[in-house]
Amino acid sequence: MNIYKSFIFHSHILKNTALITSGSFTLIILFGVLGMGKITYNFIESITHIFDHEITPPQINNPHFIVKQIQAVSELTTTKFVMDAIVPTSSNRKLGNWVIGETSLLYVARGEVKAGLDLSKITTDNIQVNEDTLKITLPAPKILDEKIDVNQSQVYDYNRGFLNLGPDIAPQLQEQAQRQTLVKIKETACSQQILNQANEKAVILVTQLMQTAGYQKVEVITTPSHQCL
């Protein structure tokens, strides 16, 4: 009987010991899981901070770089004036004080005048940076080009007069007509304020150019031109 009780007692001790051991092992696993969870959370949080980003206010580049961006465009043609003109020219053949023959040429010409700005004249003195605003002062507009569109122009009539006694100088008369056409078209373009139009369009184009380059607030100041011809 004593042996049986002793066996029961020892079995009870072993059972409790096993339960305590099992419980301890469970607690160890639980603490391990909790510890791993905390480590995992800290790891994820640290990884998340890597992708955190701060939006900084826009910065405007130094004036020297801005000038280079603008000067890269060089001459900026903003306005083109096109006009058709009919120009008569003539030349006489004389014998002493007497006119013995006359040659006339009627030239129908299409000419064009281009106005714009020479952006290569912009310097750092024309650039001002005020917080997040870029201010640019443009040079005065001017006539950049004037020409006759020879593909759209022609000699309408060429007449050497009675018995063709007039001088045969068609090329010279045509050249004279072209020069007169350019003068006439340029005068008309100036009278219709082509330079003012060039300034107005320059503001739009330069603003778009700078905004495309990344500048959000752009203020463009024009310089009036007092001379067209």
Side-chain angles (χ1 to χ4, degrees), residues 20-31:
I20 293 172
T21 304
S22 175
S24 300
F25 184 70
T26 302
L27 289 175
I28 292 173
I29 293 176
L30 179 62
F31 285 129

Side-chain angles (χ1 to χ4, degrees), residues 9 33 38 45-46 48 58 62 101 116 131 134 136 144 191 210:
F9 175 76
V33 170
K38 184 176 182 181
E45 187 176 14
S46 63
T48 303
N62 64 75
E131 295 182 354
L134 174 63
I136 304 172
L144 297 178
S191 67
M210 291 294 95

Side-chain angles (χ1 to χ4, degrees), residues 80-184:
K80 182 171 70 171
F81 180 82
V82 180
M83 189 180 86
D84 293 330
I86 301 176
V87 181
T89 57
S90 62
S91 179
N92 297 327
R93 185 191 299 273
K94 289 185 176 181
L95 183 60
N97 293 327
W98 296 89
V99 176
I100 61 173
E102 181 182 55
T103 299
S104 61
L105 183 143
L106 190 62
Y107 191 68
V108 179
R110 172 167 294 181
E112 64 180 38
V113 177
K114 294 180 181 180
L117 290 79
D118 185 1
L119 298 182
S120 64
K121 292 184 177 180
I122 292 181
T123 65
T124 53
D125 295 334
N126 304 119
I127 305 295
Q128 293 182 16
V129 178
N130 183 14
E131 295 182 354
D132 60 343
T133 301
L134 174 63
K135 182 182 293 185
I136 304 172
T137 302
L138 299 177
K142 64 178 184 178
I143 301 298
L144 297 178
D145 188 28
E146 51 190 82
K147 66 179 182 179
I148 298 294
D149 187 348
V150 294
N151 294 325
Q152 299 294 327
S153 305
Q154 62 177 331
V155 175
Y156 182 77
D157 183 61
Y158 179 66
N159 188 350
R160 295 180 60 194
F162 179 68
L163 298 178
N164 288 334
L165 293 178
D168 189 11
I169 52 171
Q172 294 89 329
L173 291 177
Q174 180 175 334
E175 183 179 349
Q176 181 182 350
Q178 290 174 342
R179 288 196 303 267
Q180 292 180 7
T181 300
L182 286 178
V183 172
K184 185 175 181 179

